[in-house]
């Protein structure tokens, strides 16, 4: 089989470590009763062992050359292939297929990982879980807590939607080809159902407020959010106007979001 030359435009770094592959498949626990979706199967490092355990696997791959390579494998008959961009793919079609929540996994290209996760949050009601290999720093931002350097808008929005659990830490660049310049992390995002610790009337308002706050993360709230919150209104909500955005909890950001919705319904702020 002709060797595949990784394409930089698709940020291709293929997983090659058999021990890591085994651990990932064991953590996902794929089952034929589930609607499984792999994003970016690449050279089939995960695709092959998953297909050994299930009857059908949906794959989304934008690189036509890689799809041609997959045709040469014995498991190809188990694949439902979509040659599309994962950032624009209609995941609802997979949910509608069997009327079951979908399970998504993949070794994500680093250049789209954050955008893809935010895109998938828009489909959160049809997702059972997401199991992704990510750049270590992106993973750390997802799980970051208030008061830490990496805590920001991505942390807040991600933790609002999902319980996030890191499954494999500090995966060496040597586990990939070509070798990336950073360590990786494998984690699971499980959407909250009825037991979410957070509530907001409108997540778009929450997104707007956090975006506004972290555009000026070194400023205090009375400066970064000054155009929509007076010091008095922040104090009324028991939020110190002198706090910086990274020192405000997710619950407090939800409070701010709900305050806007409850008091300024006439206005479009986002």
């Amino acid at each position: 089989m002709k060797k595949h030359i990784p394409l930089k435009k698709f940020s291709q770094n293929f997983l090659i470590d058999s021990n890591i592959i085994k651990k990932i498949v064991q953590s996902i626990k794929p089952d034929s009763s589930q609607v499984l979706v792999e994003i970016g199967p690449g050279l089939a490092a995960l695709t092959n062992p998953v297909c050994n355990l299930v009857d059908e696997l949906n794959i989304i791959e934008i690189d036509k050359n890689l799809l041609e390579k997959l045709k040469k494998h014995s498991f190809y008959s188990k694949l439902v292939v979509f040659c599309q961009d994962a950032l624009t793919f209609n995941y609802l079609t997979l949910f509608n297929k069997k009327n079951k929540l979908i399970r998504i996994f993949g070794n994500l290209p680093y250049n789209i990982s954050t955008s893809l996760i935010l895109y998938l949050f828009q489909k959160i009601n049809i997702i059972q879980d997401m199991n992704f290999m990510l750049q270590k720093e992106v993973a750390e931002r997802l799980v970051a807590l208030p008061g830490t350097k990496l805590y920001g808008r991505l942390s807040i929005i991600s933790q609002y939607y999902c319980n996030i659990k890191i499954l494999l830490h500090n995966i060496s660049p040597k586990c990939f080809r070509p070798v990336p310049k950073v360590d990786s992390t494998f984690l699971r995002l499980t959407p909250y159902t009825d037991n979410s610790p957070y509530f907001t009337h409108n997540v778009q308002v929450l997104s707007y407020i956090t975006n506004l706050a972290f555009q000026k993360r070194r400023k205090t709230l009375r400066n970064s959010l000054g155009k929509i919150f007076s010091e008095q209104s922040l104090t009324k909500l028991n939020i110190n106007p002198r706090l910086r955005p990274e020192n405000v909890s997710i619950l407090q950001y939800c409070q701010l979001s709900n305050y806007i919705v409850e008091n300024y319904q006439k206005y479009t702020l986002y």
Side-chain angles (χ1 to χ4, degrees):
M1 192 182 293
K2 187 177 178 182
K3 187 177 180 181
H4 178 77
I5 299 174
L7 298 176
K8 285 187 177 181
K9 70 176 180 177
F10 293 142
S11 190
Q12 291 175 343
N13 295 91
F14 303 115
L15 187 59
I16 61 168
D17 187 287
S18 58
N19 185 46
I20 296 296
I21 292 167
K22 183 179 179 180
K23 287 181 179 179
I24 288 174
V25 175
Q26 287 175 340
S27 70
I28 295 173
K29 295 180 181 177
D31 185 289
S32 284
S33 67
Q34 302 164 341
V35 180
L36 295 159
V37 188
E38 182 179 11
I39 294 176
L43 296 175
L46 297 175
T47 316
N48 193 350
V50 168
C51 281
N52 288 336
L53 300 171
V54 301
D55 299 324
E56 181 179 282
L57 173 62
N58 300 281
I59 63 166
I60 304 169
E61 176 58 68
I62 197 171
D63 189 341
K64 293 179 180 179
N65 292 326
L66 288 175
L67 290 178
E68 286 300 313
K69 287 187 173 298
L70 287 176
K71 289 180 181 179
K72 304 180 188 300
H73 289 278
S74 59
F75 58 76
Y76 187 76
S77 61
K78 293 186 175 184
L79 301 180
V80 179
V81 178
F82 299 93
C83 184
Q84 295 182 40
D85 186 345
L87 284 169
T88 57
F89 182 77
N90 183 8
Y91 294 86
L92 186 60
T93 60
L94 299 178
F95 169 77
N96 290 337
K97 189 176 179 181
K98 296 185 178 179
N99 198 30
K100 283 186 178 180
L101 296 178
I102 62 177
R103 300 192 69 205
I104 307 175
F105 68 95
N107 172 30
L108 297 188
Y110 292 157
N111 64 340
I112 69 160
S113 59
T114 300
S115 298
L116 179 61
I117 289 170
L118 291 172
Y119 177 67
L120 289 171
F121 286 155
Q122 298 173 33
K123 330 292 177 188
I124 204 73
N125 292 333
I126 63 168
I127 296 172
Q128 179 177 328
D129 61 14
M130 298 175 277
N131 302 266
F132 292 143
M133 180 78 77
L134 302 169
Q135 184 177 344
K136 180 182 175 182
E137 184 177 326
V138 172
E140 289 176 342
R141 287 170 59 203
L142 288 173
V143 300
L145 298 175
T148 60
K149 183 180 178 182
L150 291 175
Y151 178 74
R153 181 170 177 263
L154 181 63
S155 319
I156 295 161
I157 300 300
S158 300
Q159 292 173 46
Y160 171 82
Y161 280 115
C162 296
N163 176 45
I164 308 170
K165 183 178 181 181
I166 291 179
L167 302 175
L168 296 172
H169 294 266
N170 300 322
I171 300 171
S172 169
K174 295 179 182 178
C175 296
F176 302 84
R177 290 289 182 276
V179 179
K181 296 179 180 178
V182 295
D183 286 352
S184 299
T185 296
F186 184 72
L187 54 68
R188 174 175 298 135
L189 300 99
T190 306
Y192 290 115
T193 50
D194 298 328
N195 60 339
S196 174
Y198 310 112
F199 169 76
T200 181
H201 294 295
N202 190 326
V203 72
Q204 289 179 288
V205 177
L206 177 65
S207 180
Y208 169 82
I209 290 171
T210 52
N211 183 50
L212 195 64
F214 284 95
Q215 280 179 356
K216 302 175 182 177
R217 66 177 299 140
R218 302 313 301 162
K219 301 283 188 180
T220 61
L221 291 185
R222 64 180 179 179
N223 290 314
S224 60
L225 297 181
K227 81 173 192 177
I228 52 175
F229 292 102
S230 66
E231 286 195 48
Q232 290 79 8
S233 59
L234 290 170
T235 303
K236 184 179 178 181
L237 292 169
N238 293 317
I239 298 173
N240 187 340
R242 292 176 176 78
L243 286 177
R244 287 179 173 155
E246 68 264 27
N247 298 120
V248 179
S249 71
I250 301 173
L251 279 172
Q252 288 174 314
Y253 277 114
C254 288
Q255 275 185 280
L256 294 171
S257 170
N258 291 334
Y259 181 84
I260 289 294
V261 174
E262 291 164 5
N263 292 278
Y264 300 100
Q265 292 179 351
K266 296 178 182 179
Y267 304 101
T268 300
L269 295 171
Y270 51 90

